[in-house]
Amino acid sequence: MAKLLITGGAGFIGSHTCVVLLEAGYDLVVLDDFSNSSSRALDRVIALAGITPSESSAKRLVTVPGSINNSLVLEKVFREAIETGQPIEGVIHFAGLKAVGESVADPLRYWHVNVGGSISLINVMAAFSCHTLVFSSSATLYGYPDQVPIPETAPIQPINPYGHSKAAVERLLNDLAASAPGQWRIACLRYFNPVGAHASGRIGEDPLGIPNNLFPFVSQVAVGRRERLQIFGGDWSTPDGTCVRDYIHVMDLAEGHKAALDCLLTEAPQLLTLNLGSGRGISVLEVVNAFGQACGQPVPHTIVDRRPGDAAITVADPSEALRRLGWSTRRSLDDICRDGWAWQSANPAGYGQRG
Ligand code: NAD
Ligand code: UDP
């Protein structure tokens, strides 16, 4: 089975995707600097995938601590894979920074890691003739969307440095593919709102500090780590006045990565750009109520002013991913809340460590 490099594989989406890929038989090298994750996540990934020490977890999942900005570390990863007789055949590139507010305050860091780190990775891939890449893009590219559901053909109009960094890498990948027709196999996957956790409750989202995003905030209120959720705006032009998003279970998203990778490895070289979302709009109040059902008590909340930069409604048109990959989401909002609660209630302080 093929060996893959997973950058940022210890993070929220990466760790869930590693479980799916290990179960499918792929061998993995995870490169992560643990700036926003814990190595405990990878220990649990190995256990969840049913890999025993006798089966040599070292061969199935090798962890390399290091940064995508460090070409020497990247070169070592590719060289050592060749020396073991199993070169890296493809890369899933999750590593990056993702906090919108932080990107506004420190754009240089975001361009350095998200754009500079991607360039460093792609350079080393090219040097080792590895031309298969799945890139974590984002629905944030669409900014304030002109149409909903949003198709991949909608205008790219990011409204913050984080979104600009994702748009820049997508642009680079399109230029690269055009420069060498028939060579690169690339998928830019535009995620909508990834939430939930592995159904075991063993791995999940573990944000540093006060969560910026709705779902981890709601979970932390439910588990008693925070007092009350603030809902940003109750006067939007939506059915219940709160914003509508396309929440996607992280295991559906993980399966979408496997589908994209399988497609790239089997079809002719191409560049795919796909929305990964459910196509189902859910309001903030619907999330809060469903989570209350899952955890067995109402989640305290107050409606406050709108948050700058929010759009009223963002929902994916996911039909292209179904057409090209045969993939669509399978899990409901109730599944999302049940699994998210399984993780949060069993791990009230997350993994309890960074690094
Ligand atoms: P995450 O922060 O949990 O995971 C990112 C991982 O990358 C972490 O383990 C972190 O330690 C690592 N990392 C950061 N900088 C690195 C570097 N220089 N070198 C090596 N490793 C580094 O985030 P996530 O939610 O799992 O997101 C994964 C990817 O998906 C990111 O690129 C993010 O921008 C993108 N994305 C996330 C969302 C979301 O809402 N979670 C939505 C759309 C796109
Ligand atoms: N939201 C909220 N309270 C919070 C965090 C988020 O009401 O503490 C709302 C936010 O205004 C948006 C929705 O929840 O309407 C999803 O926000 P999130 O930050 O999770 O995702 P994104 O803005 O990227 O869609």
Side-chain angles (χ1 to χ4, degrees), residues 193 211-215 217 229-232 243-245 247 284 307 310-311 314:
N193 290 59
N212 297 309
N213 299 110
L214 177 67
F215 200 86
F217 204 107
L229 170 76
Q230 294 192 326
I231 295 181
F232 300 135
C243 287
V244 169
R245 294 288 180 273
Y247 295 96
V284 175
R307 179 173 73 174
D310 275 340
T314 57

Side-chain angles (χ1 to χ4, degrees), residues 8 10-13 32-37 66-69 94-96 98 113 136-138 162 166 191-192 194:
F12 172 44
I13 304 168
D32 202 301
D33 69 359
F34 298 105
S35 54
N36 195 34
S37 55
S67 171
I68 48 168
N69 289 94
F94 293 107
K98 63 168 184 177
V113 175
S136 294
S137 189
S138 171
Y162 169 65
K166 292 290 179 188
Y191 315 153
F192 277 67

Side-chain angles (χ1 to χ4, degrees), residues 3-155:
K3 181 180 273 187
L4 307 173
L5 169 61
I6 315 292
T7 73
F12 172 44
I13 304 168
S15 56
H16 291 77
T17 305
C18 285
V19 173
V20 169
L21 294 171
L22 287 169
E23 285 174 346
Y26 286 102
D27 292 327
L28 308 180
V29 179
V30 169
L31 175 70
D32 202 301
D33 69 359
F34 298 105
S35 54
N36 195 34
S37 55
S38 164
S39 59
R40 285 184 188 158
L42 293 175
D43 297 338
R44 296 186 185 184
V45 163
I46 289 171
L48 283 174
I51 297 170
T52 57
S54 59
E55 218 188 334
S56 168
S57 63
K59 179 180 171 295
R60 297 295 320 280
L61 191 152
V62 175
T63 305
V64 179
S67 171
I68 48 168
N69 289 94
N70 185 339
S71 306
L72 295 178
V73 173
L74 284 165
E75 284 163 7
K76 192 163 178 277
V77 165
F78 278 85
R79 206 172 34 246
E80 285 184 357
I82 291 172
E83 284 163 8
T84 62
Q86 207 190 3
I88 286 168
E89 289 182 36
V91 178
I92 305 189
H93 178 31
F94 293 107
L97 307 175
K98 63 168 184 177
V100 168
E102 203 178 70
S103 80
V104 174
D106 194 354
L108 188 55
R109 185 161 159 249
Y110 272 67
W111 279 80
H112 177 66
V113 175
N114 291 2
V115 181
S118 297
I119 292 174
S120 138
L121 170 68
I122 296 162
N123 261 321
V124 174
M125 287 177 66
F128 283 85
S129 300
C130 175
H131 296 116
T132 302
L133 175 65
V134 178
F135 171 61
S136 294
S137 189
S138 171
T140 196
L141 290 178
Y142 298 120
Y144 303 113
D146 303 330
Q147 59 182 121
V148 179
I150 310 170
E152 288 85 354
T153 49

Side-chain angles (χ1 to χ4, degrees), residues 325-336:
L325 308 179
W327 171 92
S328 59
T329 59
R330 300 191 288 137
R331 295 164 177 88
S332 67
L333 176 60
D334 288 344
D335 295 334
I336 287 172

